[in-house]
Amino acid sequence: MDATFFFDPACPWTWRASRWLVAVAEARGLAVEWRAFSLAILNEGNVPPQFAEAMAASGRALRLVEALRAQGRHDDAGRFYTELGARTHDAGNPPSDKLGAEAVEAAGLGSEAPALDDERWDEAVRESHALSYASAGPDIGSPVLMIPGAERGMHGPIVTEVPGTEDALTIWDSLVPLLRLGTFHEIKRGRR
């Protein structure tokens, strides 16, 4: 894999970053591994009631992501996330079980749908979340990006809108050397 992208499907910032990475992967022929990062696990016991349904739907989706990863089906996981994000973030809807089921069908993964309700995948989601958090944390959220040759991952990038291909490649070409520097820690500016 050329990049591993840990994500929570409920996060709009993560959705934009994923579209950035898809553009980069298409332009550069990169292989992306899609992995679980759970905001519900990160905020365990502190999820506000108004986000409970979205977090539950996101958790179900992450089961499928990890089930597909276990089979080496990274492109299928990416296609599922694309369909889910189109129905949620692009359409302005919160994640829901209904939209998750629609995304499974649209991605051609109907035979894999039972993973959504298979609690045996919860441990894989926790392990993936722990790996990403250990790689880039503490004090991080979704997404986390890891690349080969870098001893640590990073939280982000956080983009306010999905950049065009040229800007997407500029971001990638700037991040890769920074990620591989053991002395590099953080660049940040406030969101508007």
Side-chain angles (χ1 to χ4, degrees), residues 86-162:
R87 285 162 176 73
T88 55
H89 302 295
D90 288 349
N93 298 313
S96 69
D97 292 344
K98 178 182 180 288
L99 294 176
E102 288 176 9
V104 168
E105 290 302 320
L109 298 169
S111 63
E112 304 301 325
L116 295 168
D117 296 312
D118 189 342
E119 293 179 1
R120 292 176 295 179
W121 288 109
D122 290 347
E123 186 57 33
V125 170
R126 283 191 173 280
E127 289 172 4
S128 179
H129 177 85
L131 172 64
S132 64
Y133 197 83
S135 169
D139 302 322
I140 55 131
S142 177
V144 169
L145 177 68
M146 292 175 59
I147 61 168
E151 65 183 62
R152 295 194 65 206
M154 68 162 223
H155 168 57
I158 304 301
V159 292
T160 55
E161 59 188 59
V162 180

Side-chain angles (χ1 to χ4, degrees), residues 6 11 18 38 64 94 99 111 120 136 184-185:
F6 296 85
C11 178
S18 75
S38 172
L64 177 57
L99 294 176
S111 63
R120 292 176 295 179
F184 172 72
H185 177 67

Side-chain angles (χ1 to χ4, degrees), residues 147 150 152 154 171-187:
I147 61 168
R152 295 194 65 206
M154 68 162 223
I171 294 169
W172 176 260
D173 291 340
S174 300
L175 286 178
V176 168
L178 292 174
L179 278 168
R180 290 189 173 140
L181 285 175
T183 57
F184 172 72
H185 177 67
E186 178 179 51
I187 293 176

